[in-house]
Amino acid sequence: MLDPIEFIHNASSISKKSMNRLKLKTNPFSEKPIRGNTKFFVGRTSELSEIADILGAAQYGSVANAAIVGTKGIGKSSILNILYYASKRHNHWVVELEASQITARQFLIQLMYGIIKDNLFSVDGTLSSDYMKHSQKIIEIYKRLSNYSDKTPVHYPREKIERDLKYLLNEVKEENKLCVILIDEADQFAKRSCLGLLQFFHSFLYEDDILTFLAGPPTMVEDLTKISPAIRDRIPKIINMPPLTKEEAYDLIKRRLEDSQITGAKGYQPFSEQSIEKIIEECDGIPRRIIMTCSEAVSLGLKNGVDEIDDEIARNAMKNLGISVGHQILNHLTPAQSKIIKAMAELGGSSTVTELSGILNNSTGTIGTHLSDIYEMGYIYKERDGYNVYYTLSKELKDVLITKEDIS
């Protein structure tokens, strides 16, 4: 009889021998936050320079709030984390928040809680000696915040919360310090329910000594402005996070491998040159995709008992994770365009506007317009055969939408 606990224990135990075969001590591809450890951080010289200029200018009275924008997995959270520690080194107040609060009141409470907990208390959990003259008031506010829930007691209304925040910023904080506020996933504020919060931001972000960085997707500032047009002039700086260059992607993998390779390992072992090339080509310069793919490839290598991770294992890793150029294209398409692409796949990868119109129950004019847009983006091809124009999926789309069984 199978003992399920014993089975899971045995199946999940990776022997030292298997790891040594891959010339690794541990799997070096972890997605854990950098948390001040920059040995795995690569590139971003121009973006870091922009941030340094913004922080430097703010220290001398020229405050310009900024948006850090880029696609998912590009490294925005890592940049915020580095900014957190850099600001701490300057002895500023720093608060890290996620855009999970949907009202100005909830945001204020989380902000104050972060200010007190992360900046006024020492590592041992006691109030720093620098703020002892304000101890009674600070402890009183902190206790009130510690008991906070989504249903804040009526005896702590927003007006009092705002007064307490102003007290912390104007009376407790030293004049030579900034209050640096880092908000990840700030695109979550781009909805009607957050209009009050964005209106509050419009005045709050204009305060002296408050420097805010909001991180989100490329359209974040535009989306926030649609909800509250006035917010645009409060975020004058936009820092775009492009994909890593090929050299930076190679460096990202190399640094992590070197940290975990056993003595005697060379180059990119256990990865073959072809597997590294494949991963860098398919992951499109997105750090999270590169790390996830490498981690999955190491796991597959251990499972298969190999001593080298070749391009086939790399391809299988990407297949398991749904990472490929084809998947990236699908994610980029609109729902209507995606339906058309999938219908083309059902027809074998090549079809006319009329054939697609029949399958999708839509007019040839609408289908034709969408196909023209997709063609302009380079995701499909077209050729004329007599009176008919055939549209054909690119190889990348065929790879993810049409299986070998479909072809046979």
Side-chain angles (χ1 to χ4, degrees):
M1 182 178 175
L2 176 68
D3 183 333
I5 296 176
E6 188 69 18
F7 171 78
I8 292 174
H9 172 75
N10 292 335
S12 62
S13 296
I14 299 173
S15 69
K16 184 178 180 181
K17 183 179 179 181
S18 297
M19 192 64 81
N20 283 341
R21 188 182 293 123
L22 289 177
K23 293 183 167 54
L24 293 173
K25 292 175 283 189
T26 59
N27 185 342
F29 297 100
S30 167
E31 284 192 89
K32 292 180 180 178
I34 288 175
R35 293 296 172 201
N37 179 2
T38 57
K39 66 180 178 180
F40 296 147
F41 191 86
V42 300
R44 306 300 184 205
T45 305
S46 61
E47 292 84 0
L48 291 172
S49 180
E50 282 187 80
I51 289 170
D53 289 344
I54 292 169
L55 183 60
Q59 292 174 144
Y60 296 98
S62 182
V63 177
N65 302 300
I68 300 173
V69 299
T71 190
K72 186 177 181 181
I74 202 71
K76 302 183 293 294
S77 297
S78 294
I79 286 283
L80 286 182
N81 195 253
I82 285 171
L83 182 51
Y84 177 90
Y85 285 96
S87 300
K88 280 284 190 184
R89 185 170 292 186
H90 276 290
N91 206 30
H92 297 310
W93 284 6
V94 197
V95 186
E96 284 185 299
L97 300 170
E98 284 192 8
S100 57
Q101 298 80 33
I102 60 170
T103 68
R105 184 186 193 185
Q106 290 170 321
F107 177 82
L108 283 168
I109 286 174
Q110 293 299 322
L111 174 60
M112 277 202 294
Y113 186 82
I115 285 176
I116 296 175
K117 185 174 181 293
D118 294 344
N119 300 279
L120 307 188
F121 279 67
S122 302
V123 178
D124 61 3
T126 60
L127 187 65
S128 171
S129 57
D130 295 339
Y131 304 108
M132 288 307 294
K133 64 180 180 180
H134 301 283
S135 61
Q136 185 174 348
K137 180 72 171 178
I138 292 171
I139 296 298
E140 174 191 324
I141 296 172
Y142 188 61
K143 283 182 177 179
R144 194 178 294 128
L145 295 171
S146 298
N147 295 325
Y148 166 73
S149 68
D150 288 338
K151 296 180 180 178
T152 310
V154 291
H155 63 266
Y156 199 18
R158 177 174 162 179
E159 293 75 17
K160 183 166 178 54
I161 294 171
E162 289 187 16
R163 285 199 301 272
D164 286 344
L165 178 60
K166 286 181 179 179
Y167 171 78
L168 292 174
L169 293 174
N170 298 332
E171 302 295 330
V172 180
K173 183 178 69 63
E174 298 91 326
E175 286 187 14
N176 61 337
K177 288 187 179 183
L178 293 170
C179 180
V180 182
I181 303 170
L182 311 174
I183 307 176
D184 206 356
E185 300 181 6
D187 55 300
Q188 296 298 312
F189 292 145
K191 43 194 173 188
R192 289 290 169 191
S193 59
C194 294
L195 176 59
L197 177 59
L198 293 177
Q199 290 173 335
F200 163 74
F201 272 157
H202 186 254
S203 58
F204 180 69
L205 297 183
Y206 203 63
E207 295 286 333
D208 293 336
D209 300 333
I210 294 176
L211 176 62
T212 304
F213 289 85
L214 295 88
T219 61
M220 178 184 68
V221 176
E222 179 184 341
D223 293 341
L224 292 174
T225 304
K226 286 178 182 176
I227 304 300
S228 177
I231 200 70
R232 182 63 186 88
D233 65 353
R234 293 295 186 258
I235 312 172
K237 301 284 187 178
I238 298 179
I239 301 168
N240 290 291
M241 297 275 287
L244 297 179
T245 65
K246 283 192 174 181
E247 291 75 16
E248 290 168 342
Y250 274 104
D251 191 21
L252 173 66
I253 296 172
K254 183 70 171 175
R255 288 193 191 192
R256 288 175 176 263
L257 283 173
E258 287 178 341
D259 191 61
S260 292
Q261 287 173 327
I262 64 174
T263 303
K266 298 177 181 179
Y268 288 95
Q269 288 183 326
F271 290 83
S272 68
E273 290 185 12
Q274 293 80 6
S275 68
I276 293 288
E277 288 175 8
K278 187 68 176 175
I279 290 168
I280 290 175
E281 176 189 348
E282 296 284 358
C283 290
D284 206 28
I286 308 298
R288 187 180 299 165
R289 291 179 187 165
I290 295 170
I291 292 168
M292 287 172 62
T293 302
C294 289
S295 180
E296 179 68 10
V298 170
S299 296
L300 289 176
L302 290 167
K303 183 178 180 180
N304 296 334
V306 301
D307 55 12
E308 183 182 66
I309 295 169
D310 58 19
D311 56 342
E312 182 179 357
I313 292 177
R315 279 197 300 271
N316 287 334
M318 286 183 279
K319 183 179 179 182
N320 291 350
L321 297 170
I323 294 175
S324 69
V325 173
H327 284 100
Q328 293 168 38
I329 292 172
L330 288 175
N331 290 335
H332 182 65
L333 297 175
T334 66
Q337 291 169 343
S338 184
K339 277 185 180 180
I340 292 172
I341 290 297
K342 289 173 182 176
M344 288 176 68
E346 289 176 18
L347 292 169
S350 185
S351 56
T352 65
V353 173
T354 303
E355 289 172 335
L356 289 169
S357 177
I359 285 183
L360 296 170
N361 260 342
N362 217 328
S363 70
T364 54
T366 300
I367 298 290
T369 299
H370 285 309
L371 284 171
S372 295
D373 291 339
I374 302 169
Y375 172 76
E376 288 296 326
M377 291 186 281
Y379 300 151
I380 58 176
Y381 310 107
K382 67 179 179 179
E383 59 181 353
R384 181 174 291 277
D385 183 9
Y387 292 105
N388 294 318
V389 175
Y390 283 87
Y391 290 87
T392 305
L393 297 176
S394 64
K395 178 184 180 299
E396 293 80 8
L397 285 171
K398 284 182 178 178
D399 286 345
V400 297
L401 292 174
I402 303 176
T403 65
K404 292 180 181 178
E405 290 76 11
D406 293 332
I407 297 172
S408 60

